PDB file of all heavy atoms in Angstrom:
ATOM      1  N   ILE A1341      -0.614  -4.558  -4.983  1.00  0.00           N
ATOM      2  CA  ILE A1341       0.358  -4.502  -3.893  1.00  0.00           C
ATOM      3  C   ILE A1341      -0.326  -4.076  -2.600  1.00  0.00           C
ATOM      4  O   ILE A1341      -0.091  -4.665  -1.534  1.00  0.00           O
ATOM      5  CB  ILE A1341       1.516  -3.539  -4.246  1.00  0.00           C
ATOM      6  CG1 ILE A1341       2.312  -4.067  -5.439  1.00  0.00           C
ATOM      7  CG2 ILE A1341       2.407  -3.280  -3.046  1.00  0.00           C
ATOM      8  CD1 ILE A1341       3.033  -5.369  -5.197  1.00  0.00           C
ATOM      9  N   LEU A1342      -1.192  -3.077  -2.671  1.00  0.00           N
ATOM     10  CA  LEU A1342      -1.911  -2.641  -1.473  1.00  0.00           C
ATOM     11  C   LEU A1342      -2.816  -3.759  -0.942  1.00  0.00           C
ATOM     12  O   LEU A1342      -2.952  -3.929   0.275  1.00  0.00           O
ATOM     13  CB  LEU A1342      -2.716  -1.377  -1.763  1.00  0.00           C
ATOM     14  CG  LEU A1342      -1.880  -0.114  -1.988  1.00  0.00           C
ATOM     15  CD1 LEU A1342      -2.753   1.024  -2.500  1.00  0.00           C
ATOM     16  CD2 LEU A1342      -1.146   0.297  -0.720  1.00  0.00           C
ATOM     17  N   GLY A1343      -3.408  -4.535  -1.827  1.00  0.00           N
ATOM     18  CA  GLY A1343      -4.222  -5.667  -1.396  1.00  0.00           C
ATOM     19  C   GLY A1343      -3.401  -6.728  -0.688  1.00  0.00           C
ATOM     20  O   GLY A1343      -3.836  -7.314   0.302  1.00  0.00           O
ATOM     21  N   VAL A1344      -2.197  -6.971  -1.185  1.00  0.00           N
ATOM     22  CA  VAL A1344      -1.299  -7.935  -0.530  1.00  0.00           C
ATOM     23  C   VAL A1344      -0.894  -7.417   0.845  1.00  0.00           C
ATOM     24  O   VAL A1344      -0.875  -8.170   1.821  1.00  0.00           O
ATOM     25  CB  VAL A1344      -0.058  -8.214  -1.411  1.00  0.00           C
ATOM     26  CG1 VAL A1344       0.979  -9.016  -0.648  1.00  0.00           C
ATOM     27  CG2 VAL A1344      -0.464  -8.936  -2.680  1.00  0.00           C
ATOM     28  N   LEU A1345      -0.576  -6.137   0.941  1.00  0.00           N
ATOM     29  CA  LEU A1345      -0.198  -5.555   2.234  1.00  0.00           C
ATOM     30  C   LEU A1345      -1.338  -5.675   3.242  1.00  0.00           C
ATOM     31  O   LEU A1345      -1.112  -5.973   4.422  1.00  0.00           O
ATOM     32  CB  LEU A1345       0.202  -4.090   2.063  1.00  0.00           C
ATOM     33  CG  LEU A1345       1.491  -3.835   1.289  1.00  0.00           C
ATOM     34  CD1 LEU A1345       1.654  -2.348   1.011  1.00  0.00           C
ATOM     35  CD2 LEU A1345       2.694  -4.385   2.031  1.00  0.00           C
ATOM     36  N   ALA A1346      -2.570  -5.460   2.798  1.00  0.00           N
ATOM     37  CA  ALA A1346      -3.731  -5.607   3.683  1.00  0.00           C
ATOM     38  C   ALA A1346      -3.858  -7.052   4.153  1.00  0.00           C
ATOM     39  O   ALA A1346      -4.173  -7.318   5.313  1.00  0.00           O
ATOM     40  CB  ALA A1346      -5.003  -5.157   2.970  1.00  0.00           C
ATOM     41  N   TYR A1347      -3.593  -7.991   3.271  1.00  0.00           N
ATOM     42  CA  TYR A1347      -3.659  -9.415   3.613  1.00  0.00           C
ATOM     43  C   TYR A1347      -2.602  -9.789   4.651  1.00  0.00           C
ATOM     44  O   TYR A1347      -2.851 -10.570   5.556  1.00  0.00           O
ATOM     45  CB  TYR A1347      -3.475 -10.246   2.340  1.00  0.00           C
ATOM     46  CG  TYR A1347      -3.341 -11.723   2.594  1.00  0.00           C
ATOM     47  CD1 TYR A1347      -4.472 -12.517   2.756  1.00  0.00           C
ATOM     48  CD2 TYR A1347      -2.096 -12.322   2.679  1.00  0.00           C
ATOM     49  CE1 TYR A1347      -4.355 -13.880   2.988  1.00  0.00           C
ATOM     50  CE2 TYR A1347      -1.970 -13.674   2.911  1.00  0.00           C
ATOM     51  CZ  TYR A1347      -3.104 -14.448   3.074  1.00  0.00           C
ATOM     52  OH  TYR A1347      -2.979 -15.794   3.323  1.00  0.00           O
ATOM     53  N   LEU A1348      -1.405  -9.214   4.513  1.00  0.00           N
ATOM     54  CA  LEU A1348      -0.301  -9.573   5.402  1.00  0.00           C
ATOM     55  C   LEU A1348      -0.507  -9.109   6.830  1.00  0.00           C
ATOM     56  O   LEU A1348       0.055  -9.687   7.753  1.00  0.00           O
ATOM     57  CB  LEU A1348       1.023  -9.002   4.860  1.00  0.00           C
ATOM     58  CG  LEU A1348       1.523  -9.628   3.571  1.00  0.00           C
ATOM     59  CD1 LEU A1348       2.755  -8.880   3.078  1.00  0.00           C
ATOM     60  CD2 LEU A1348       1.825 -11.101   3.768  1.00  0.00           C
ATOM     61  N   GLY A1349      -1.281  -8.079   7.038  1.00  0.00           N
ATOM     62  CA  GLY A1349      -1.519  -7.591   8.394  1.00  0.00           C
ATOM     63  C   GLY A1349      -0.376  -6.728   8.906  1.00  0.00           C
ATOM     64  O   GLY A1349       0.495  -6.287   8.166  1.00  0.00           O
ATOM     65  N   TRP A1350      -0.412  -6.487  10.216  1.00  0.00           N
ATOM     66  CA  TRP A1350       0.580  -5.613  10.853  1.00  0.00           C
ATOM     67  C   TRP A1350       1.944  -6.261  10.820  1.00  0.00           C
ATOM     68  O   TRP A1350       2.013  -7.460  10.990  1.00  0.00           O
ATOM     69  CB  TRP A1350       0.147  -5.305  12.287  1.00  0.00           C
ATOM     70  CG  TRP A1350       1.011  -4.276  12.916  1.00  0.00           C
ATOM     71  CD1 TRP A1350       2.019  -4.511  13.794  1.00  0.00           C
ATOM     72  CD2 TRP A1350       0.993  -2.877  12.685  1.00  0.00           C
ATOM     73  NE1 TRP A1350       2.614  -3.342  14.127  1.00  0.00           N
ATOM     74  CE2 TRP A1350       2.008  -2.312  13.447  1.00  0.00           C
ATOM     75  CE3 TRP A1350       0.218  -2.043  11.882  1.00  0.00           C
ATOM     76  CZ2 TRP A1350       2.270  -0.963  13.463  1.00  0.00           C
ATOM     77  CZ3 TRP A1350       0.482  -0.698  11.896  1.00  0.00           C
ATOM     78  CH2 TRP A1350       1.495  -0.179  12.680  1.00  0.00           C
ATOM     79  N   PRO A1351       3.045  -5.583  10.595  1.00  0.00           N
ATOM     80  CA  PRO A1351       3.232  -4.137  10.421  1.00  0.00           C
ATOM     81  C   PRO A1351       3.073  -3.678   8.977  1.00  0.00           C
ATOM     82  O   PRO A1351       3.063  -2.484   8.708  1.00  0.00           O
ATOM     83  CB  PRO A1351       4.655  -3.907  10.896  1.00  0.00           C
ATOM     84  CG  PRO A1351       5.376  -5.155  10.518  1.00  0.00           C
ATOM     85  CD  PRO A1351       4.352  -6.268  10.706  1.00  0.00           C
ATOM     86  N   TRP A1352       2.933  -4.629   8.043  1.00  0.00           N
ATOM     87  CA  TRP A1352       2.816  -4.270   6.628  1.00  0.00           C
ATOM     88  C   TRP A1352       1.586  -3.424   6.350  1.00  0.00           C
ATOM     89  O   TRP A1352       1.582  -2.582   5.460  1.00  0.00           O
ATOM     90  CB  TRP A1352       2.796  -5.529   5.764  1.00  0.00           C
ATOM     91  CG  TRP A1352       4.035  -6.336   5.910  1.00  0.00           C
ATOM     92  CD1 TRP A1352       4.178  -7.503   6.616  1.00  0.00           C
ATOM     93  CD2 TRP A1352       5.320  -6.025   5.388  1.00  0.00           C
ATOM     94  NE1 TRP A1352       5.469  -7.933   6.550  1.00  0.00           N
ATOM     95  CE2 TRP A1352       6.199  -7.039   5.799  1.00  0.00           C
ATOM     96  CE3 TRP A1352       5.809  -4.988   4.610  1.00  0.00           C
ATOM     97  CZ2 TRP A1352       7.531  -7.043   5.458  1.00  0.00           C
ATOM     98  CZ3 TRP A1352       7.144  -4.994   4.268  1.00  0.00           C
ATOM     99  CH2 TRP A1352       7.989  -6.012   4.694  1.00  0.00           C
ATOM    100  N   LYS A1353       0.544  -3.659   7.123  1.00  0.00           N
ATOM    101  CA  LYS A1353      -0.704  -2.932   6.919  1.00  0.00           C
ATOM    102  C   LYS A1353      -0.521  -1.429   7.110  1.00  0.00           C
ATOM    103  O   LYS A1353      -1.281  -0.634   6.569  1.00  0.00           O
ATOM    104  CB  LYS A1353      -1.758  -3.476   7.885  1.00  0.00           C
ATOM    105  CG  LYS A1353      -3.152  -3.355   7.409  1.00  0.00           C
ATOM    106  CD  LYS A1353      -4.081  -4.131   8.311  1.00  0.00           C
ATOM    107  CE  LYS A1353      -5.422  -4.233   7.631  1.00  0.00           C
ATOM    108  NZ  LYS A1353      -6.341  -5.068   8.380  1.00  0.00           N
ATOM    109  N   ALA A1354       0.497  -1.027   7.857  1.00  0.00           N
ATOM    110  CA  ALA A1354       0.768   0.398   8.052  1.00  0.00           C
ATOM    111  C   ALA A1354       1.075   1.089   6.722  1.00  0.00           C
ATOM    112  O   ALA A1354       0.830   2.293   6.569  1.00  0.00           O
ATOM    113  CB  ALA A1354       1.921   0.589   9.032  1.00  0.00           C
ATOM    114  N   LEU A1355       1.587   0.348   5.755  1.00  0.00           N
ATOM    115  CA  LEU A1355       1.909   0.921   4.442  1.00  0.00           C
ATOM    116  C   LEU A1355       0.658   1.224   3.610  1.00  0.00           C
ATOM    117  O   LEU A1355       0.753   1.811   2.534  1.00  0.00           O
ATOM    118  CB  LEU A1355       2.848  -0.009   3.676  1.00  0.00           C
ATOM    119  CG  LEU A1355       4.226  -0.203   4.319  1.00  0.00           C
ATOM    120  CD1 LEU A1355       5.016  -1.263   3.572  1.00  0.00           C
ATOM    121  CD2 LEU A1355       4.981   1.112   4.352  1.00  0.00           C
ATOM    122  N   LEU A1356      -0.514   0.844   4.117  1.00  0.00           N
ATOM    123  CA  LEU A1356      -1.755   1.150   3.406  1.00  0.00           C
ATOM    124  C   LEU A1356      -2.026   2.649   3.363  1.00  0.00           C
ATOM    125  O   LEU A1356      -2.914   3.102   2.650  1.00  0.00           O
ATOM    126  CB  LEU A1356      -2.938   0.411   4.028  1.00  0.00           C
ATOM    127  CG  LEU A1356      -2.914  -1.098   3.854  1.00  0.00           C
ATOM    128  CD1 LEU A1356      -4.099  -1.740   4.564  1.00  0.00           C
ATOM    129  CD2 LEU A1356      -2.907  -1.470   2.387  1.00  0.00           C
ATOM    130  N   VAL A1357      -1.246   3.410   4.082  1.00  0.00           N
ATOM    131  CA  VAL A1357      -1.321   4.863   3.974  1.00  0.00           C
ATOM    132  C   VAL A1357      -1.062   5.284   2.520  1.00  0.00           C
ATOM    133  O   VAL A1357      -1.474   6.360   2.092  1.00  0.00           O
ATOM    134  CB  VAL A1357      -0.351   5.546   4.974  1.00  0.00           C
ATOM    135  CG1 VAL A1357       1.095   5.322   4.571  1.00  0.00           C
ATOM    136  CG2 VAL A1357      -0.658   7.016   5.117  1.00  0.00           C
ATOM    137  N   GLY A1358      -0.432   4.401   1.763  1.00  0.00           N
ATOM    138  CA  GLY A1358      -0.203   4.642   0.338  1.00  0.00           C
ATOM    139  C   GLY A1358      -1.485   4.845  -0.445  1.00  0.00           C
ATOM    140  O   GLY A1358      -1.468   5.404  -1.538  1.00  0.00           O
ATOM    141  N   ARG A1359      -2.604   4.404   0.105  1.00  0.00           N
ATOM    142  CA  ARG A1359      -3.890   4.620  -0.579  1.00  0.00           C
ATOM    143  C   ARG A1359      -4.228   6.097  -0.689  1.00  0.00           C
ATOM    144  O   ARG A1359      -5.079   6.477  -1.494  1.00  0.00           O
ATOM    145  CB  ARG A1359      -5.014   3.884   0.153  1.00  0.00           C
ATOM    146  CG  ARG A1359      -4.972   2.406  -0.068  1.00  0.00           C
ATOM    147  CD  ARG A1359      -6.223   1.736   0.453  1.00  0.00           C
ATOM    148  NE  ARG A1359      -6.194   0.329   0.084  1.00  0.00           N
ATOM    149  CZ  ARG A1359      -6.611  -0.649   0.846  1.00  0.00           C
ATOM    150  NH1 ARG A1359      -7.115  -0.391   2.041  1.00  0.00           N
ATOM    151  NH2 ARG A1359      -6.549  -1.894   0.439  1.00  0.00           N
ATOM    152  N   LEU A1360      -3.585   6.922   0.122  1.00  0.00           N
ATOM    153  CA  LEU A1360      -3.812   8.365   0.051  1.00  0.00           C
ATOM    154  C   LEU A1360      -3.178   8.982  -1.196  1.00  0.00           C
ATOM    155  O   LEU A1360      -3.547  10.068  -1.603  1.00  0.00           O
ATOM    156  CB  LEU A1360      -3.249   9.050   1.307  1.00  0.00           C
ATOM    157  CG  LEU A1360      -3.892   8.639   2.634  1.00  0.00           C
ATOM    158  CD1 LEU A1360      -3.156   9.265   3.794  1.00  0.00           C
ATOM    159  CD2 LEU A1360      -5.365   9.013   2.647  1.00  0.00           C
ATOM    160  N   VAL A1361      -2.242   8.262  -1.790  1.00  0.00           N
ATOM    161  CA  VAL A1361      -1.580   8.728  -3.011  1.00  0.00           C
ATOM    162  C   VAL A1361      -2.473   8.351  -4.195  1.00  0.00           C
ATOM    163  O   VAL A1361      -2.944   7.216  -4.282  1.00  0.00           O
ATOM    164  CB  VAL A1361      -0.183   8.075  -3.153  1.00  0.00           C
ATOM    165  CG1 VAL A1361       0.483   8.481  -4.448  1.00  0.00           C
ATOM    166  CG2 VAL A1361       0.680   8.402  -1.945  1.00  0.00           C
ATOM    167  N   PRO A1362      -2.703   9.275  -5.110  1.00  0.00           N
ATOM    168  CA  PRO A1362      -3.548   8.954  -6.273  1.00  0.00           C
ATOM    169  C   PRO A1362      -3.000   7.760  -7.063  1.00  0.00           C
ATOM    170  O   PRO A1362      -1.783   7.579  -7.204  1.00  0.00           O
ATOM    171  CB  PRO A1362      -3.497  10.231  -7.118  1.00  0.00           C
ATOM    172  CG  PRO A1362      -3.147  11.315  -6.139  1.00  0.00           C
ATOM    173  CD  PRO A1362      -2.262  10.667  -5.111  1.00  0.00           C
ATOM    174  N   GLY A1363      -3.909   6.947  -7.583  1.00  0.00           N
ATOM    175  CA  GLY A1363      -3.555   5.737  -8.315  1.00  0.00           C
ATOM    176  C   GLY A1363      -2.526   5.918  -9.417  1.00  0.00           C
ATOM    177  O   GLY A1363      -1.578   5.131  -9.511  1.00  0.00           O
ATOM    178  N   PRO A1364      -2.664   6.921 -10.279  1.00  0.00           N
ATOM    179  CA  PRO A1364      -1.667   7.084 -11.349  1.00  0.00           C
ATOM    180  C   PRO A1364      -0.252   7.323 -10.812  1.00  0.00           C
ATOM    181  O   PRO A1364       0.719   6.834 -11.388  1.00  0.00           O
ATOM    182  CB  PRO A1364      -2.174   8.304 -12.128  1.00  0.00           C
ATOM    183  CG  PRO A1364      -3.647   8.319 -11.872  1.00  0.00           C
ATOM    184  CD  PRO A1364      -3.813   7.823 -10.462  1.00  0.00           C
ATOM    185  N   ILE A1365      -0.139   8.023  -9.710  1.00  0.00           N
ATOM    186  CA  ILE A1365       1.188   8.261  -9.123  1.00  0.00           C
ATOM    187  C   ILE A1365       1.719   6.964  -8.516  1.00  0.00           C
ATOM    188  O   ILE A1365       2.889   6.613  -8.693  1.00  0.00           O
ATOM    189  CB  ILE A1365       1.139   9.395  -8.080  1.00  0.00           C
ATOM    190  CG1 ILE A1365       0.790  10.713  -8.777  1.00  0.00           C
ATOM    191  CG2 ILE A1365       2.470   9.509  -7.324  1.00  0.00           C
ATOM    192  CD1 ILE A1365       0.519  11.866  -7.844  1.00  0.00           C
ATOM    193  N   ARG A1366       0.852   6.220  -7.809  1.00  0.00           N
ATOM    194  CA  ARG A1366       1.261   4.919  -7.245  1.00  0.00           C
ATOM    195  C   ARG A1366       1.715   3.983  -8.348  1.00  0.00           C
ATOM    196  O   ARG A1366       2.729   3.293  -8.217  1.00  0.00           O
ATOM    197  CB  ARG A1366       0.101   4.268  -6.480  1.00  0.00           C
ATOM    198  CG  ARG A1366      -0.207   4.858  -5.158  1.00  0.00           C
ATOM    199  CD  ARG A1366      -1.131   3.949  -4.343  1.00  0.00           C
ATOM    200  NE  ARG A1366      -2.086   3.182  -5.105  1.00  0.00           N
ATOM    201  CZ  ARG A1366      -3.379   3.483  -5.227  1.00  0.00           C
ATOM    202  NH1 ARG A1366      -3.882   4.534  -4.624  1.00  0.00           N
ATOM    203  NH2 ARG A1366      -4.180   2.715  -5.934  1.00  0.00           N
ATOM    204  N   ASP A1367       0.972   3.939  -9.455  1.00  0.00           N
ATOM    205  CA  ASP A1367       1.337   3.050 -10.561  1.00  0.00           C
ATOM    206  C   ASP A1367       2.656   3.484 -11.209  1.00  0.00           C
ATOM    207  O   ASP A1367       3.451   2.644 -11.640  1.00  0.00           O
ATOM    208  CB  ASP A1367       0.226   2.985 -11.606  1.00  0.00           C
ATOM    209  CG  ASP A1367      -0.951   2.144 -11.140  1.00  0.00           C
ATOM    210  OD1 ASP A1367      -0.775   1.327 -10.201  1.00  0.00           O
ATOM    211  OD2 ASP A1367      -2.046   2.296 -11.713  1.00  0.00           O
ATOM    212  N   TRP A1368       2.912   4.793 -11.278  1.00  0.00           N
ATOM    213  CA  TRP A1368       4.169   5.290 -11.815  1.00  0.00           C
ATOM    214  C   TRP A1368       5.334   4.810 -10.947  1.00  0.00           C
ATOM    215  O   TRP A1368       6.346   4.340 -11.465  1.00  0.00           O
ATOM    216  CB  TRP A1368       4.124   6.819 -11.892  1.00  0.00           C
ATOM    217  CG  TRP A1368       5.376   7.434 -12.409  1.00  0.00           C
ATOM    218  CD1 TRP A1368       5.790   7.495 -13.713  1.00  0.00           C
ATOM    219  CD2 TRP A1368       6.394   8.064 -11.636  1.00  0.00           C
ATOM    220  NE1 TRP A1368       7.011   8.133 -13.787  1.00  0.00           N
ATOM    221  CE2 TRP A1368       7.395   8.493 -12.524  1.00  0.00           C
ATOM    222  CE3 TRP A1368       6.554   8.321 -10.280  1.00  0.00           C
ATOM    223  CZ2 TRP A1368       8.535   9.153 -12.099  1.00  0.00           C
ATOM    224  CZ3 TRP A1368       7.687   8.981  -9.851  1.00  0.00           C
ATOM    225  CH2 TRP A1368       8.661   9.383 -10.753  1.00  0.00           C
ATOM    226  N   VAL A1369       5.174   4.902  -9.624  1.00  0.00           N
ATOM    227  CA  VAL A1369       6.215   4.411  -8.705  1.00  0.00           C
ATOM    228  C   VAL A1369       6.362   2.900  -8.856  1.00  0.00           C
ATOM    229  O   VAL A1369       7.480   2.374  -8.899  1.00  0.00           O
ATOM    230  CB  VAL A1369       5.901   4.804  -7.248  1.00  0.00           C
ATOM    231  CG1 VAL A1369       6.852   4.125  -6.270  1.00  0.00           C
ATOM    232  CG2 VAL A1369       5.944   6.310  -7.081  1.00  0.00           C
TER     233      VAL A1369
END
């Protein structure tokens, strides 16, 4: 999902702040 957001560009790219959340927590969400 983060890779897709990076591909889409702005404003979706702003959601890449989600990379600050540890992977296991992101996967749980």
Side-chain angles (χ1 to χ4, degrees):
I1341 295 295
L1342 290 170
V1344 170
L1345 292 171
Y1347 172 83
L1348 292 174
W1350 188 259
W1352 299 104
K1353 208 170 192 175
L1355 296 173
L1356 292 177
V1357 69
R1359 286 190 174 142
L1360 298 174
V1361 177
I1365 295 172
R1366 285 194 327 258
D1367 285 341
W1368 179 77
V1369 171

